[in-house]
DNA sequence: CCTATTATGCTCGAACTGAGTATAATTGGG
DNA sequence: CCCAATTATACTCAGTTCGAGCATAATAGG
C-alpha cells in the first residue's frame, strides 16, 4: 500500500529541512525585441522566497513581481519544479525546492527596474534566432562539435543515436529546424559538454564552450524551458496579446510573434490566420509611422478568451 | 531590485516550516479500460513525502512507485505544484507543497496492489466518457444546473460570460465537445458549486452535487489535470505506447486512445495516421482472437523517439 | 513624378482531413 | 457446407487548410 500524506510521523524532522523559492522568467517584447528580466548583470533570473504569508504560489509570485518591477503581470504559467541535489550548497542538511514561472508583461519602461535588467534573450541562446536565417555558429561551431561528440561514443548504436538526436534538435542532415525544441537543444549541448554550465559541473576546464551568455546555477535551463513553452503556446493560445500595447498594427503583431518564435512567417498568411480566427478587431484608427502605406490599428478581442478555449497564432 | 535565492537571511526560520509531498496520477489502460491507481477505497491518490534521501523529485517518485506497486514507470511528467493554504491543516505554522506527477504504466496485474486500487477514471468524471455518445447526465443534470448558475449572476454581462464559458466547456448551444478541457469542466462545476468538494469547502450543505465519485482534498482536481494533460499529449507525442503491451493490433491501439480521449475515432483514418507516421512496424505475427478476420500484430518503433521529437496520435 | 516601402486582397496547387464505399478473412450457428 | 456476423484492410472523394506567390493600393521622400 502506498503512503498517504500526513500518514507518516517519522520523517517529520527530515522533511522540515526544506525551503521553497519562486523563480520568474519574465518576458516582454517591446517593438519586436524579445527580452527577459534579469538581475546581477544578466547572470540570474529574479527570484524570491515562498513564505507562509503568501496565499498561494501564484499569488506569491504575482505579489513580488508587480511590487518590485511595477509591471502588471498579464499571464502567468507554472513552468517546472525541481529540487536536484546539486542546487543546494549545504548538501545533506537542507533542500531547496525551486518553483519556476513564466510571466508575460506589456512594456519595458524602467519604472523600478534599473537599466540593463531586461536582456534580449538571444544573448543567452545565440543559436535560437533564425529570423535572418540560421546563425553562422550553428554550421561553424555547433554542428561540428556535436558530430565530434557523437563520434566519441563507444558503441556503434550509441553513435547513431547521438547523431540522430543532434540532427533532429538542430535541424541538420536535411531535418528541419523546429523552433520549439529550445530545451532539448540546450540539454543536448549540456550533455555534450558544450555549454559553460556543463564544464562548470564537471570541473572539465579544457573544453571551450559554444558562444552564449551563461547564467547562475541552472537558470539558463529554466530560461530555455520558458522560451520553449512560450513558443509552443503561441501556436494554440492567444498569449502574444499579453505582450502587445492596447492598439497595434498586424505587422507589429507579426514582429512580436517572430521575435518569440525566432523564425519569420509569411506576411499574408499570417494576416489570413489572425483575421479568420477573429482574434482582433479594428479600432478605426490608422497608424502613420509605418514607413509606407498607413496600416489599420487593431485591438485584441478579449471576448475570445471566454468563447473558445482554443486558437492561437501558429 | 529583486531578491535572489539565498540572499536573505531573515526569512530562514519562516521558510523552514515547509514540507513537500509527491502525488502521483498513475494511469494504465488494460484492454481499453482507463484506470488510475488509488488508495483508501478510491478516495485518494497515492502520495509520499519528498525527503533528503531522494536524488531528485522525479527519481523520488519513480523510486517509491516502482517499489510499492511493482510496475515500472514508462513515462513520467510533472503536472503541477501547489501550496494553497487550505490544503494544510495546521494553517499558520506549516505549509505543505504538493508536487503532482502523471505516470504511465503498462499493466494492471495485482502484483503488490490490492484489488480495487485501480479505478476506472470515469467513475470520478462520468461526464467525460463520450465513447458511446454524450452521457445523459450532461443534458439531464449538468446543463440545466449550469444555466441556473449563469442566470443567478447579478449583471447581464456576467450572466452572458458564465453561459459562454459553460457552453464552451460542455459543448452545448452548438459548440462542440472538446475532450481536452477536463480541468476547465471540473473547475467550472466547482465554481458553480456542483461538485461535492465545492460544497464541502463552502459548508453549503443544501446544494446537491452532480454525479461522480469524490476524492480527498483536491485530489479530483489533480486527477482532472492529469487526464487533461494526457488527452492533449497523445495528440502530439507517442505516449500511448507506454500503456500498450509489446505487441498489439491496431484496433487495440485505437481502443486505448479512445479510452483516454473519451471519444471514438474513425477506424480507417486512425490506421492511416498511425501508418503514415511510421510509428509502428509489423511483428510478422497475427492475432487470432479478434472475433473476425485475424489482425496483424504491430510493435512500437522505439527509434521514432530519437528521430523526431514530434508526432502523436490525434 | 518616380522609387522605395509597407499594406492588403486574391489565387492556386499541394497536403491533410473527415466520411464514406468496397472487399477480404475469419468464427459460429444451423 | 453455407450464411450471417464480425473484424481487417484497401481505396476514394470532396472539403479544408496551408505554403507560396502575384497583384494592387497608399503612403513618404527625393
Amino acid at each position: 500500500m502506498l503512503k498517504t500524506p500526513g500518514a507518516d510521523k517519522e520523517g517529520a524532522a527530515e522533511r522540515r529541512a526544506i525551503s521553497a523559492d519562486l523563480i520568474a522568467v519574465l518576458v516582454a517584447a517591446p517593438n519586436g525585441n524579445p527580452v527577459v528580466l534579469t538581475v546581477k548583470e544578466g547572470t540570474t533570473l529574479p527570484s524570491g522566497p515562498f513564505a507562509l504569508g503568501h496565499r498561494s504560489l501564484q499569488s506569491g509570485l504575482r505579489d513580488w513581481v508587480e511590487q518590485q518591477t511595477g509591471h502588471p503581470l498579464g499571464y502567468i504559467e507554472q513552468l517546472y519544479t525541481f529540487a536536484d541535489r546539486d542546487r543546494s550548497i549545504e548538501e545533506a542538511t537542507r533542500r531547496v525546492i525551486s518553483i519556476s514561472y513564466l510571466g508575460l508583461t506589456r512594456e519595458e519602461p524602467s519604472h523600478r527596474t534599473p537599466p540593463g535588467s531586461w536582456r534580449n534573450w538571444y544573448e543567452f541562446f545565440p543559436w535560437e534566432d533564425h529570423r535572418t536565417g540560421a546563425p553562422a555558429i550553428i554550421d561553424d561551431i555547433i554542428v561540428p562539435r556535436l558530430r565530434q561528440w557523437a563520434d566519441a561514443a563507444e558503441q556503434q548504436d550509441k553513435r547513431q543515436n547521438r547523431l540522430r538526436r543532434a540532427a533532429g534538435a538542430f535541424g541538420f542532415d536535411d531535418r528541419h529546424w523546429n523552433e520549439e525544441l529550445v530545451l532539448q537543444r540546450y540539454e543536448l549541448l549540456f550533455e555534450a559538454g558544450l555549454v559553460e554550465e556543463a564544464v562548470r559541473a564537471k570541473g572539465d576546464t579544457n573544453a571551450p564552450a559554444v558562444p552564449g551568455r551563461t547564467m547562475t546555477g541552472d537558470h539558463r535551463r529554466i530560461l530555455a524551458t520558458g522560451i520553449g513553452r512560450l513558443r509552443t503556446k503561441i501556436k494554440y493560445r492567444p498569449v502574444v496579446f499579453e505582450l502587445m500595447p492596447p492598439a497595434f498594427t498586424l505587422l507589429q503583431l507579426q514582429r512580436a510573434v517572430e521575435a518569440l518564435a525566432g523564425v519569420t512567417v509569411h506576411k499574408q498568411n499570417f494576416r489570413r490566420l489572425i483575421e479568420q480566427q477573429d482574434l482582433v478587431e479594428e479600432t478605426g484608427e490608422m497608424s502613420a509611422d509605418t514607413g509606407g502605406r498607413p496600416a489599420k490599428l487593431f485591438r485584441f478581442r478579449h471576448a475570445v478568451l471566454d468563447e473558445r478555449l482554443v486558437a492561437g497564432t501558429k
Side-chain angles (χ1 to χ4, degrees), chain A:
Chain A
M1 196 72 155
L2 296 166
K3 289 176 188 169
T4 56
D8 52 312
K9 291 287 175 199
E10 34 79 31
E14 191 186 33
R15 291 166 65 190
R16 221 171 261 272
I18 283 176
S19 64
D21 274 317
L22 299 171
I23 303 189
V25 175
L26 201 56
V27 173
N31 24 288
N33 200 29
V35 292
V36 59
L37 187 63
T38 62
V39 297
K40 297 188 178 171
E41 277 78 61
T43 61
T44 308
L45 292 171
S47 71
F50 173 66
L52 291 176
H54 293 129
R55 280 198 317 285
S56 67
L57 294 173
Q58 180 137 336
S59 68
L61 184 88
R62 209 175 267 276
D63 285 353
W64 62 251
V65 168
E66 295 192 355
Q67 177 193 324
Q68 298 188 29
T69 69
H71 301 310
L73 275 181
Y75 177 85
I76 289 190
E77 170 177 329
Q78 203 179 81
L79 280 176
Y80 206 74
T81 300
F82 44 91
D84 298 296
R85 186 167 279 159
D86 52 18
R87 285 189 45 81
S88 176
I89 314 156
E90 323 105 289
E91 287 218 4
T93 66
R94 187 91 181 271
R95 207 67 182 271
V96 179
I97 293 180
S98 300
I99 304 152
S100 55
Y101 278 83
L102 170 67
L104 304 183
T105 187
R106 214 162 289 267
E107 276 293 334
E108 195 213 348
S110 11
H111 270 317
R112 263 162 276 190
T113 52
S117 301
W118 293 98
R119 300 277 173 145
N120 184 307
W121 71 32
Y122 294 120
E123 290 177 24
F124 305 99
F125 305 101
W127 56 87
E128 291 291 346
D129 188 359
H130 288 229
R131 285 176 294 177
T132 54
I137 56 161
I138 290 186
D139 278 346
D140 294 351
I141 304 178
I142 294 178
V143 173
R145 297 298 221 94
L146 284 175
R147 286 194 195 279
Q148 275 175 32
W149 168 71
D151 283 341
E154 310 271 299
Q155 309 98 343
Q156 162 75 14
D157 63 334
K158 189 115 183 172
R159 281 196 293 274
Q160 278 199 347
N161 189 310
R162 284 185 173 183
L163 196 60
R164 257 204 305 247
R165 284 203 294 145
F170 282 91
F172 58 91
D173 290 355
D174 61 31
R175 315 283 291 278
H176 15 125
W177 176 258
N178 180 344
E179 82 280 359
E180 294 180 23
L181 307 179
V182 187
L183 182 60
Q184 288 88 329
R185 281 188 282 271
Y186 176 78
E187 292 194 327
L188 199 66
L189 293 179
F190 190 102
E191 193 180 335
L194 300 178
V195 291
E196 213 250 27
E197 288 90 333
V199 179
R200 194 194 302 160
K202 285 204 166 183
D204 185 4
T205 50
N206 65 335
V210 154
R213 177 183 275 275
T214 189
M215 294 185 103
T216 314
D218 45 12
H219 285 199
R220 196 149 60 137
R221 184 188 306 267
I222 299 172
L223 179 53
T225 306
I227 297 173
R229 187 83 126 255
L230 189 49
R231 285 183 172 181
T232 307
K233 204 98 186 186
I234 52 173
K235 292 195 180 160
Y236 66 99
R237 275 308 135 86
V239 289
V240 222
F241 300 101
E242 303 291 347
L243 303 170
M244 302 299 294
F248 47 84
T249 69
L250 291 182
L251 185 58
Q252 285 169 342
L253 183 64
Q254 182 182 345
R255 293 287 178 243
V257 169
E258 290 175 337
L260 304 181
V263 294
T264 54
V265 303
H266 182 103
K267 187 171 180 169
Q268 295 92 322
N269 292 347
F270 178 79
R271 306 172 112 265
R272 174 173 66 186
L273 204 68
I274 298 296
E275 291 184 318
Q276 87 186 4
Q277 286 189 148
D278 276 329
L279 291 174
V280 298
E281 62 190 2
E282 300 182 11
T283 65
E285 315 275 298
M286 301 287 278
S287 165
D289 51 345
T290 57
R293 170 173 169 178
K296 289 179 187 169
L297 283 171
F298 292 84
R299 76 171 71 89
F300 177 52
R301 283 187 57 243
H302 286 275
V304 303
L305 295 177
D306 307 319
E307 292 172 3
R308 339 186 195 75
L309 298 290
V310 288
T313 333
K314 182 99 178 291

